[in-house]
Amino acid sequence: MMREQGTLRGARKYLDFKGIPYQQNSNPATGITTLMILGQLTLQYDSQGRFLASGPPGAFSAGS
């Protein structure tokens, strides 16, 4: 899992492993994928799956 640190794939693997529910939205126009850990955290990844930003819930509009 360490090789995938800072990537979308790594984040999904970790959340699945820990049993943490999340929602994933993608914006085909920008290539940005947003993972939302409900009520806790929002994570954004670029079209290559690399980490871009994080913030509180609702920090980024869904899929943008």
Side-chain angles (χ1 to χ4, degrees), residues 15-62:
L15 294 171
D16 290 341
F17 176 75
K18 291 291 189 174
I20 299 170
Y22 63 91
Q23 290 182 333
Q24 178 176 323
N25 294 308
S26 297
N27 184 329
T30 63
I32 292 177
T33 300
T34 304
L35 288 183
M36 293 174 283
I37 302 168
L38 303 178
Q40 296 181 33
L41 183 65
T42 302
L43 305 165
Q44 279 194 329
Y45 296 87
D46 68 10
S47 60
Q48 302 299 313
R50 293 180 298 237
F51 176 77
L52 291 175
S54 65
F60 313 103
S61 59

